[in-house]
């Protein structure tokens, strides 16, 4: 598997697990006004999940772990996540293009009821990953990317779960 471009994995989780995660995400209490970048602020909804598995457990978000466990088996990379968070936006918000820190960015689309006409995918380089429930996208963190706008006819929150990762080989003395 090539690791220098966008990877798309559909049906990442068993359907019942994907439905559970979708339900958990829809029950979250979102906070608006998170600045995406200091140099060109763009606001959206954001929830910090954690930097360690213990953080996830303490915050009642251990339901996120099956995403990571399935992803790491399927992407054929030796990674360790350094931060997990959830982002969301609606029609009318214009996400900015950017690059990330770390080695790879993994984005999971949890909304099982998301329709193709709702738009809201992700542009990575010159490729587009449409938003589709239970889809994982993975790409090198230094690739320019941005969330695509949501259709004006969509009145649903476009949610994603994001894993920022490091290469385990470069983690001297790493202690989870």
């Amino acid at each position: 598997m090539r690791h220098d471009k966008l990877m798309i994995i559909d049906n990442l989780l068993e359907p019942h697990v994907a439905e559970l995660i979708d339900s958990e995400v829809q029950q979250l209490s979102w906070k608006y006004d998170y600045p995406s970048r200091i140099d060109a602020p763009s606001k959206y909804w954001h929830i910090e999940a954690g930097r360690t598995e213990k953080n996830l457990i303490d915050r009642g978000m251990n339901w996120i772990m099956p995403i990571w466990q399935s992803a790491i088996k399927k992407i054929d990379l030796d990674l360790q996540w350094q931060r997990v968070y959830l982002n969301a936006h609606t029609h009318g918000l214009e996400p900015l293009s950017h690059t990330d820190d770390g080695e790879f960015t993994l984005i999971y689309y949890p909304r099982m009821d998301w329709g193709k006409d709702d738009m809201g995918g992700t542009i990575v380089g010159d490729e587009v990953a449409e938003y589709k429930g239970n889809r994982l996208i993975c790409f090198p963190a230094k690739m320019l990317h941005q969330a695509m706008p949501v259709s004006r006819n969509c009145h649903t929150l476009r949610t994603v779960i994001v894993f920022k990762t490091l290469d385990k080989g470069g983690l001297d003395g790493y202690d989870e």
Side-chain angles (χ1 to χ4, degrees):
M1 185 178 292
R2 286 185 58 185
H3 301 304
D4 60 346
K5 64 179 201 151
L6 173 66
M7 295 177 263
I8 300 174
I9 300 169
D10 286 332
N11 303 313
L12 178 71
L13 303 168
E14 294 290 325
H16 69 282
V17 177
E19 291 288 346
L20 170 73
I21 290 170
D22 180 19
S23 175
E24 292 286 345
V25 170
Q26 290 190 46
Q27 292 177 47
L28 292 171
S29 181
W30 291 86
K31 178 181 175 0
Y32 182 73
D33 213 23
Y34 184 82
S36 63
R37 291 180 12 199
I38 294 170
D39 61 333
S42 170
K43 305 288 185 171
Y44 54 88
W45 285 271
H46 179 84
I47 297 172
E48 191 69 32
R51 296 184 180 271
T52 67
E53 191 169 343
K54 182 176 179 340
N55 287 154
L56 294 180
I57 293 167
D58 290 348
R59 293 180 176 146
M61 297 180 141
N62 51 317
W63 48 265
I64 290 175
M65 288 310 296
I67 301 168
W68 176 255
Q69 292 159 349
S70 293
I72 205 66
K73 289 177 187 171
K74 294 185 179 183
I75 60 174
D76 191 33
L77 289 168
D78 192 19
L79 301 175
Q80 173 62 50
W81 58 271
Q82 63 178 359
R83 181 174 169 226
V84 180
Y85 58 89
L86 295 85
N87 281 341
H89 71 275
T90 56
H91 170 71
L93 296 178
E94 297 290 331
L96 300 172
S97 60
H98 62 281
T99 60
D100 292 336
D101 56 333
E103 300 290 328
F104 284 87
T105 299
L106 283 65
I107 301 175
Y108 178 76
Y109 299 135
R111 294 294 308 236
M112 298 303 290
D113 61 348
W114 198 262
K116 184 176 176 129
D117 291 341
D118 295 331
M119 300 168 35
T122 305
I123 298 172
V124 181
D126 59 0
E127 296 183 78
V128 174
E130 292 180 9
Y131 193 113
K132 180 179 175 186
N134 199 19
R135 171 176 277 179
L136 178 83
I137 65 172
C138 175
F139 52 90
K142 300 304 178 209
M143 288 186 75
L144 193 64
H145 61 280
Q146 77 180 75
M148 296 171 61
V150 172
S151 167
R152 72 177 32 235
N153 296 319
C154 178
H155 304 288
T156 305
L157 196 60
R158 176 219 187 252
T159 57
V160 296
I161 301 171
V162 180
F163 295 83
K164 298 285 185 78
T165 71
L166 294 173
D167 182 341
K168 273 183 162 179
L171 296 173
D172 293 333
Y174 177 78
D175 183 28
E176 192 173 17

